[in-house]
């Protein structure tokens, strides 16, 4: 049953997540100002640098960032004008344009990825056991926000039709399996934004 102390923990978690989000935004703004870009343009460049050709499209960015295609197109046009991005005809489908980083764009993403490295080095300093608990909690939080329609498309193992687990209770000792790749998964293998994800029906 919910009592005062559980409500305090809930609020403390909320406040900590909010503070981390503010820190992300503030670091992004610093990088953005320094490189004369907006934070969302930086996020688009890093996104495109990490995606295979078939995912480097305006529609994919709009879906993954919860933005309208018109908003994404405006930011993409600015990046094209700055000669950091170019559109090319997809090798898979001639009707589709993919977004490719130019040489300048690739150089810039190497610098921008330092933004992620600073945060990743902090995460890396925590004990494995703590990180296991955190990833379990965060993945389940993402799924519950998805169910509540607060966030839309997030491709995590937990809602993938290829994901199999021994029972419905998700714990650190639980054994997982990816049926698509036919491999056992442990907590560290659980993915956010997996390219092979297929939503459960
Ligand atoms: S296909 Fe990707 S998201 Fe689905 S279970 Fe396998 S690793 Fe997880």
């Amino acid at each position: 049953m919910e009592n005062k102390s559980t409500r305090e923990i809930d609020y403390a978690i909320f406040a900590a997540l909010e503070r981390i989000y503010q820190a992300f935004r503030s670091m992004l703004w610093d990088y953005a100002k320094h490189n004369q870009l907006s934070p969302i343009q930086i996020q688009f460049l890093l996104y495109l640098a990490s995606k295979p050709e078939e995912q480097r499209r305006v529609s994919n960015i709009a879906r993954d960032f919860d933005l309208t295609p018109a908003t994404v197109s405006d930011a993409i046009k600015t990046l094209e004008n700055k000669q950091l991005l170019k559109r090319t005809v997809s090798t898979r489908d001639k009707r589709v344009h993919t977004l490719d980083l130019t040489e300048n764009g690739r150089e810039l993403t190497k610098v921008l990825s330092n933004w992620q490295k600073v945060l990743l080095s902090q995460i890396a300093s925590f004990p494995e056991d703590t990180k296991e608990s955190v990833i379990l909690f965060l993945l389940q939080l993402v799924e519950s926000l998805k169910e509540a329609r607060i966030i839309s498309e997030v491709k995590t193992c937990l809602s993938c039709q290829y994901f199999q687990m021994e029972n419905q209770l998700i714990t650190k000792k639980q054994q997982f399996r990816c049926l698509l790749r036919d491999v056992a998964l442990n907590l560290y293998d659980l993915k956010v934004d997996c390219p092979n994800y297929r939503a459960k029906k």
Side-chain angles (χ1 to χ4, degrees):
M1 189 193 289
E2 192 184 56
N3 57 34
K4 185 169 179 286
S5 65
T6 58
R7 281 199 306 277
E8 281 168 358
I9 289 173
D10 296 346
Y11 187 78
I13 291 171
F14 176 84
L17 288 173
E18 192 179 34
R19 194 65 197 83
I20 291 168
Y21 169 74
Q22 284 166 1
F24 272 39
R25 294 286 302 168
S26 140
M27 285 179 74
L28 257 179
W29 269 111
D30 283 349
Y31 268 85
K33 265 192 289 181
H34 191 70
N35 293 284
Q36 295 172 335
L37 295 168
S38 70
I40 198 69
Q41 287 166 0
I42 288 184
Q43 286 175 296
F44 287 177
L45 287 174
L46 292 172
Y47 175 95
L48 292 167
S50 69
K51 297 293 178 194
E53 183 189 320
E54 65 274 15
Q55 289 179 36
R56 296 198 305 266
R57 295 178 189 163
V58 168
S59 55
N60 284 60
I61 299 177
R63 185 197 61 208
D64 290 353
F65 284 83
D66 254 335
L67 295 170
T68 64
T71 305
V72 175
S73 287
D74 284 348
I76 293 296
K77 250 183 237 147
T78 307
L79 292 170
E80 282 181 290
N81 292 340
K82 288 176 187 271
Q83 301 188 330
L84 297 169
L85 269 189
K86 59 179 190 248
R87 286 173 208 251
T88 49
V89 176
S90 166
T91 54
R92 291 160 188 259
D93 182 348
K94 302 278 177 248
R95 294 164 303 176
V96 172
H97 284 95
T98 58
L99 302 166
D100 295 326
L101 296 174
T102 60
E103 194 53 43
N104 286 346
R106 272 194 291 278
E107 284 303 312
L108 182 58
T109 54
K110 279 187 208 154
V111 177
L112 296 177
S113 64
N114 287 333
W115 167 73
Q116 294 171 327
K117 280 184 201 149
V118 173
L119 298 167
L120 284 171
S121 71
Q122 294 298 322
I123 295 169
S125 66
F126 283 84
E128 301 302 297
D129 194 51
T130 304
K131 285 189 276 192
E132 285 177 2
S133 301
V134 170
I135 188 66
L136 262 185
F137 165 70
L138 289 177
L139 285 174
Q140 291 178 95
L141 179 61
V142 164
E143 288 306 322
S144 72
L145 291 173
K146 229 161 86 175
E147 270 171 35
R149 298 179 187 275
I150 294 167
I151 53 175
S152 52
E153 188 69 28
V154 185
K155 301 168 183 170
T156 75
C157 285
L158 298 192
S159 60
C160 175
Q161 65 174 257
Y162 299 121
F163 185 65
Q164 188 185 54
M165 54 187 186
E166 278 174 349
N167 55 54
Q168 291 308 306
L169 192 67
I170 300 179
T171 65
K172 286 201 241 174
K173 294 200 175 109
Q174 171 74 273
Q175 294 294 303
F176 310 112
R177 198 156 191 87
C178 172
L179 298 177
L180 179 72
R181 294 185 292 139
D182 195 22
V183 291
L185 303 172
N186 62 37
L187 274 174
Y188 294 105
D189 300 316
L190 297 185
K191 298 207 182 304
V192 177
D193 214 11
C194 171
N196 301 317
Y197 171 91
R198 184 162 294 181
K200 277 183 194 154
K201 289 179 184 144

